Amino acid sequence: MAPDRLRRDILKTGGVLAGGLLLSGAPGTGQGPARADAPTPPPPPFVDLPAGRLRGAVEGGVAVFKGVPYAAPPVGALRWRPAQPHPGWDGTRDATAFGPSAPQLYLEEGDQILGHHGSPPFSEDCLTLNVWTPGADDSKRPVLLWIHGGGFISGSGALPHYSGETFARNGDLVAVTVNYRLGPLGYLYFGEDDAGGNFWLTDQRAALQWVRDNIAAFGGDPDNITVAGHSGGALSAAALAGQSKGRPLFRRAILQSPPLGLRIPTRAESLQRTATYLDIVGAGNVAELRTVPWPRLIGAIPEMFGRTARWGYWPTPFLPVIDGVTLDAHPAELLLSGSGEGIDVLIGWTREEANFAFGLDEGYAAATRDQVVARVRDTFGRQADEAYTAYAEVRPGARPVDVLMDLIGDDLFRMPSLALAERRASRGRPVWAYQFGLPTPAHNGRLAAAHCLELPFVFNNFDKWAPAPFLAGLHPRVRDGLAATMHQSWISFIRTGDPNHHPMPNWQRYDRKTRTTMNLDAVTTAAGDLVGYWRQLRRPAAG
């Protein structure tokens, strides 16, 4: 019997595969028949790698290996240095517990939207990844490498939100999540020509290479990798597309709410940001900064927010840098030429992205029309009044802050994502586009279809998101129906490069004739050109 069919039959009868072994429904242990109320726990799966042996666990019907190091700990002299190879280990390494998350700000009480986006323990020794697989065998399954977002300052591949269990089980995939350096430890730039900057990107590049070198031992196909991410993680996926000068390092990319509208600083601009940070911490140079304990480095982030924030713009105190060493162009450009041009792309956004950052902010709620028009002028120049009126008409009864949020969402996410789709389509390169539009009733509807809201639908694991306040009030039947559709579309794209599946509407590739965009909402429909008016209005923008 073919391995895939065998696996499906086993799963149907309550069995699971891990490490190539039948773990449930197998003969007993010789101690008498297993009691129905006390099933024999499955034996742990093992994997042998060049770095050493791993012992994992079986959870939710799939094998999982947690806290696997993919690079050397970036501590001491390796702080603010590119990721280095891990030396490996002797004996069998326990891989049943997640590794520490990257150091980041943490509030015990959480926030009003996600609750928490990264939880202790935190440590600079954080360069680990996690693997979920239906079986550590030779099935050569498609691979998903998920990169979390978090504004470049928060998040973790160890979050229950991002568990790869559903993708591994429902899609017969190998799913990988990764931790990488965040905030000042990942994004400061010191102008060192040999090291460059973007230490976060060197981490992700090392993780991707680890997957290519090792994933076959977990039942994955190193030649069939999809790199997916959300927000900053989506920008990362695009940046990784340019890390090869020849054959692409992965086959497909899923970009969920990529902030392609970010202006990536030059080396000089990044050095100025680093100088601001050094002043806050009270250090004179990188050598002094290497002696500062990481809690103090993280503690400087709030003041960094204060010194770098601009009214009417999404706050980003730490940013990538075009350093000419690790990154030589804006990530969006890397999917238009060279190795990135041949990668299949699925790209999308939520309808009210910026409500995430501004919808519950009482200071912005008091914004005046004049204030917002002044911000609109940055985008539309002399057409600012016309643009303000057009945005206001889209939302009957719109307040100035509503216009501002729609503008920010368009500037940062929707319009640049569509611009990338347009440019890829003009080159005949595969690209599919979507807009997530299901609003949440939470906070009296003030968030609408905000940034991050599509994530639990993609992973189809609402039980893991239970503490997140922004999901309160969603109708279970509508929620679960849309989640089933989205989750299967993502699986289909990872497996075949095409997000279509029965019974959803036909999802055509984005092209410059139809400009098909899938509306993912209570009723999923394929729409035509969603932003024709805005495209025309923005074209002649001038100061």
Side-chain angles (χ1 to χ4, degrees):
M1 185 179 293
D4 285 349
R5 183 178 175 188
L6 173 62
R7 189 173 304 102
R8 287 195 297 270
D9 289 346
I10 292 169
L11 290 174
K12 287 178 181 177
T13 58
V16 293
L17 282 171
L21 300 175
L22 180 63
L23 303 181
S24 176
T29 60
Q31 300 176 349
R35 291 172 51 192
D37 59 344
T40 301
F46 293 86
V47 165
D48 290 301
L49 305 175
R53 197 172 209 218
L54 293 173
R55 179 180 59 250
V58 177
E59 299 176 3
V62 298
V64 57
F65 298 83
K66 302 175 181 177
V68 182
Y70 65 83
V75 299
L78 294 184
R79 185 191 270 183
W80 294 303
R81 303 294 298 178
Q84 300 297 310
H86 193 276
W89 55 88
D90 295 324
T92 299
R93 182 184 180 98
D94 183 79
T96 60
F98 291 115
S101 298
Q104 58 195 272
L105 291 173
Y106 179 76
L107 298 176
E108 188 71 36
E109 64 273 19
D111 62 50
Q112 294 179 284
I113 300 178
L114 295 177
H116 288 105
H117 196 236
S119 299
F122 303 116
S123 171
E124 285 188 80
D125 183 3
C126 63
L127 301 188
T128 61
L129 51 74
N130 316 292
V131 183
W132 287 261
T133 178
D137 49 32
D138 60 356
S139 292
K140 298 191 73 172
R141 300 174 183 86
V143 178
L144 166 66
L145 173 59
W146 173 261
I147 303 176
H148 72 78
F152 312 121
I153 61 168
S154 72
S156 172
L159 284 169
H161 304 1
Y162 303 137
S163 168
E165 178 185 313
T166 52
F167 277 105
R169 184 176 60 245
N170 302 335
D172 195 29
L173 306 172
V174 179
V176 182
T177 63
V178 60
N179 290 344
Y180 56 95
R181 283 175 280 183
L182 301 170
L185 290 163
Y187 289 83
L188 287 180
Y189 175 64
F190 301 99
E192 299 176 332
D193 291 338
D194 59 332
N198 299 310
F199 306 108
W200 59 277
L201 183 57
T202 71
D203 297 344
Q204 294 172 7
R205 175 65 167 78
L208 176 57
Q209 190 61 56
W210 186 97
V211 169
R212 288 181 59 83
D213 292 343
N214 295 281
I215 208 64
F218 297 87
D221 183 355
D223 293 321
N224 192 5
I225 298 171
T226 297
V227 177
H230 173 262
S231 194
L235 193 77
S236 299
L240 285 169
Q243 295 297 297
S244 169
K245 302 305 180 186
R247 184 182 178 191
L249 294 175
F250 53 99
R251 183 175 294 185
R252 303 181 182 101
I254 301 176
L255 311 181
Q256 297 176 211
S257 299
L260 299 179
L262 280 176
R263 183 179 175 278
I264 307 300
T266 64
R267 286 175 290 187
E269 292 166 336
S270 292
L271 285 172
Q272 183 56 52
R273 281 206 173 209
T274 299
T276 299
Y277 181 81
L278 287 168
D279 181 63
I280 293 170
V281 175
N285 52 47
V286 63
E288 291 182 24
L289 210 57
R290 283 197 173 100
T291 67
V292 178
W294 72 254
R296 185 175 158 201
L297 298 177
I298 299 302
I301 291 177
E303 187 169 347
M304 192 69 176
F305 266 106
R307 294 207 197 180
T308 59
R310 297 170 61 198
W311 194 91
Y313 288 85
W314 200 294
T316 50
F318 300 94
L319 287 167
V321 54
I322 297 178
D323 60 359
V325 179
T326 61
L327 191 65
D328 55 14
H330 192 289
E333 298 296 322
L334 301 176
L335 287 167
L336 294 167
S337 61
S339 60
E341 185 178 17
I343 293 172
D344 299 335
V345 174
L346 174 65
I347 189 169
W349 57 91
T350 69
R351 191 176 57 214
E352 288 92 12
E353 292 273 8
N355 288 29
F356 178 93
F358 302 93
L360 304 182
D361 190 309
E362 297 304 326
Y364 275 98
T368 67
R369 186 185 190 282
D370 288 345
Q371 283 179 300
V372 175
V373 168
R375 167 62 183 86
V376 174
R377 191 170 291 116
D378 290 350
T379 301
F380 289 96
R382 290 188 295 268
Q383 294 177 291
D385 285 304
E386 179 185 351
Y388 182 97
T389 300
Y391 273 109
E393 288 175 347
V394 172
R395 288 202 205 192
R399 304 165 298 163
V401 68
D402 296 322
V403 172
L404 177 65
M405 288 189 291
D406 286 348
L407 172 78
I408 294 170
D410 272 6
D411 278 359
L412 194 55
F413 301 101
R414 185 167 72 157
M415 296 305 295
S417 292
L418 280 167
L420 176 61
E422 289 271 317
R423 295 174 70 188
R424 280 186 62 90
S426 70
R427 291 163 166 80
R429 306 312 307 166
V431 58
W432 283 262
Y434 72 87
Q435 175 175 280
F436 179 91
L438 184 68
T440 174
H443 299 292
N444 297 315
R446 291 161 65 188
L447 294 174
H451 192 64
C452 292
L453 187 58
E454 91 286 6
L455 285 167
F457 293 83
V458 166
F459 281 85
N460 198 10
N461 60 350
F462 289 95
D463 57 319
K464 300 292 196 295
W465 289 80
F470 75 154
L471 294 179
L474 282 171
H475 192 288
R477 186 160 52 184
V478 173
R479 178 198 73 185
D480 294 346
L482 180 57
T485 294
M486 293 180 62
H487 185 58
Q488 187 56 53
S489 284
W490 265 239
I491 288 171
S492 296
F493 182 79
I494 294 163
R495 294 192 65 84
T496 69
D498 187 329
N500 282 284
H501 66 89
H502 183 75
M504 75 177 298
N506 182 38
W507 189 343
Q508 296 179 3
R509 281 169 54 168
Y510 190 96
D511 62 49
R512 302 188 73 179
K513 291 182 179 179
T514 63
R515 295 188 165 96
T516 299
T517 303
M518 188 60 70
N519 263 326
L520 300 168
D521 206 326
V523 177
T524 294
T525 57
D529 190 358
L530 288 177
V531 298
Y533 174 80
W534 304 108
R535 189 182 300 106
Q536 294 298 320
L537 189 62
R538 286 168 179 254
R539 184 171 295 159

Short mmCIF file of all heavy atoms in Angstrom, two decimals, residues 311 360-367 371 401:
data_model
loop_
_atom_site.label_atom_id
_atom_site.label_comp_id
_atom_site.label_asym_id
_atom_site.label_seq_id
_atom_site.Cartn_x
_atom_site.Cartn_y
_atom_site.Cartn_z
N TRP A 311 3.30 61.02 14.29
CA TRP A 311 1.84 61.02 14.37
C TRP A 311 1.25 60.55 13.03
O TRP A 311 1.63 61.02 11.97
CB TRP A 311 1.32 62.42 14.70
CG TRP A 311 -0.13 62.41 15.11
CD1 TRP A 311 -0.62 62.31 16.36
CD2 TRP A 311 -1.27 62.50 14.24
NE1 TRP A 311 -2.00 62.31 16.34
CE2 TRP A 311 -2.42 62.43 15.06
CE3 TRP A 311 -1.42 62.61 12.85
CZ2 TRP A 311 -3.71 62.48 14.54
CZ3 TRP A 311 -2.71 62.65 12.32
CH2 TRP A 311 -3.84 62.59 13.16
N LEU A 360 -8.35 51.36 19.17
CA LEU A 360 -8.66 51.46 20.59
C LEU A 360 -7.87 52.56 21.27
O LEU A 360 -7.88 52.68 22.49
CB LEU A 360 -8.36 50.11 21.28
CG LEU A 360 -9.06 48.88 20.71
CD1 LEU A 360 -8.71 47.64 21.53
CD2 LEU A 360 -10.57 49.08 20.66
N ASP A 361 -7.19 53.39 20.48
CA ASP A 361 -6.35 54.47 21.02
C ASP A 361 -7.20 55.72 21.21
O ASP A 361 -7.64 56.35 20.25
CB ASP A 361 -5.20 54.75 20.05
CG ASP A 361 -4.16 55.69 20.63
OD1 ASP A 361 -4.54 56.77 21.14
OD2 ASP A 361 -2.95 55.36 20.57
N GLU A 362 -7.42 56.10 22.46
CA GLU A 362 -8.29 57.25 22.75
C GLU A 362 -7.67 58.56 22.26
O GLU A 362 -8.39 59.50 21.92
CB GLU A 362 -8.57 57.34 24.26
CG GLU A 362 -9.33 56.13 24.80
CD GLU A 362 -10.65 55.89 24.06
OE1 GLU A 362 -11.29 56.87 23.64
OE2 GLU A 362 -11.03 54.71 23.90
N GLY A 363 -6.35 58.64 22.22
CA GLY A 363 -5.72 59.86 21.71
C GLY A 363 -6.04 60.07 20.24
O GLY A 363 -6.38 61.18 19.81
N TYR A 364 -5.96 59.00 19.44
CA TYR A 364 -6.29 59.12 18.02
C TYR A 364 -7.79 59.31 17.81
O TYR A 364 -8.21 59.90 16.81
CB TYR A 364 -5.79 57.90 17.26
CG TYR A 364 -4.34 58.01 16.84
CD1 TYR A 364 -3.32 57.43 17.59
CD2 TYR A 364 -3.98 58.75 15.72
CE1 TYR A 364 -1.99 57.55 17.22
CE2 TYR A 364 -2.65 58.88 15.34
CZ TYR A 364 -1.66 58.28 16.09
OH TYR A 364 -0.34 58.40 15.72
N ALA A 365 -8.61 58.80 18.72
CA ALA A 365 -10.06 58.97 18.58
C ALA A 365 -10.45 60.44 18.55
O ALA A 365 -11.47 60.81 17.97
CB ALA A 365 -10.79 58.25 19.70
N ALA A 366 -9.62 61.29 19.15
CA ALA A 366 -9.91 62.73 19.21
C ALA A 366 -9.29 63.50 18.05
O ALA A 366 -9.33 64.74 18.03
CB ALA A 366 -9.40 63.30 20.53
N ALA A 367 -8.72 62.81 17.07
CA ALA A 367 -8.08 63.48 15.93
C ALA A 367 -9.09 64.36 15.19
O ALA A 367 -10.26 64.02 15.06
CB ALA A 367 -7.49 62.44 14.97
N GLN A 371 -6.01 67.66 11.24
CA GLN A 371 -4.86 66.80 11.52
C GLN A 371 -4.76 65.67 10.51
O GLN A 371 -3.67 65.36 10.01
CB GLN A 371 -4.99 66.20 12.93
CG GLN A 371 -4.64 67.14 14.07
CD GLN A 371 -4.83 66.44 15.41
OE1 GLN A 371 -5.93 66.00 15.75
NE2 GLN A 371 -3.75 66.33 16.18
N VAL A 401 -10.62 59.79 12.54
CA VAL A 401 -9.72 58.68 12.83
C VAL A 401 -10.02 57.48 11.93
O VAL A 401 -9.12 56.72 11.59
CB VAL A 401 -9.79 58.27 14.33
CG1 VAL A 401 -11.14 57.66 14.68
CG2 VAL A 401 -8.65 57.32 14.68
#
